[in-house]
Amino acid sequence: MKRRERTRQLIELGGLVAKAGIVDLTGDDRAIIYGALLDIAAQLRGEDREQKQLLWQRRGRRGFAPDEAK
């Protein structure tokens, strides 16, 4: 991946963290945010990976829906 593409990807991912309200809910505590992401990664390594992905994907699409209506 080229540097410019990677930079764009990282900015977009950071935007998702902010959009979800995680920054405000954690007081911008990077250790909490990183710990939560590690927990998500652990869940994705589990047996119910596909169920988690489907659930989170549905929630994410619903979360984007108000933005797409604009």
Side-chain angles (χ1 to χ4, degrees):
M1 178 180 295
K2 295 178 185 174
R3 184 176 175 166
R4 178 174 275 172
E5 292 170 355
R6 177 162 165 70
T7 299
R8 179 183 174 103
Q9 179 188 35
L10 293 173
I11 291 168
E12 289 174 350
L13 292 171
L16 291 173
V17 170
K19 182 176 179 68
I22 294 170
V23 176
D24 294 333
L25 291 168
T26 62
D28 198 15
D29 186 318
R30 311 292 167 90
I32 294 172
I33 295 169
Y34 184 52
L37 292 171
L38 290 173
D39 190 49
I40 292 168
Q43 290 183 51
L44 289 173
R45 289 186 197 96
E47 294 179 16
D48 61 344
R49 170 192 174 100
E50 291 176 10
Q51 291 174 334
K52 291 285 186 187
Q53 285 181 314
L54 184 59
L55 172 68
W56 293 337
Q57 183 180 57
R58 287 179 181 162
R59 286 182 183 166
R61 286 185 177 161
R62 282 195 306 265
F64 280 131
D67 291 342
E68 293 171 0
K70 292 179 184 177

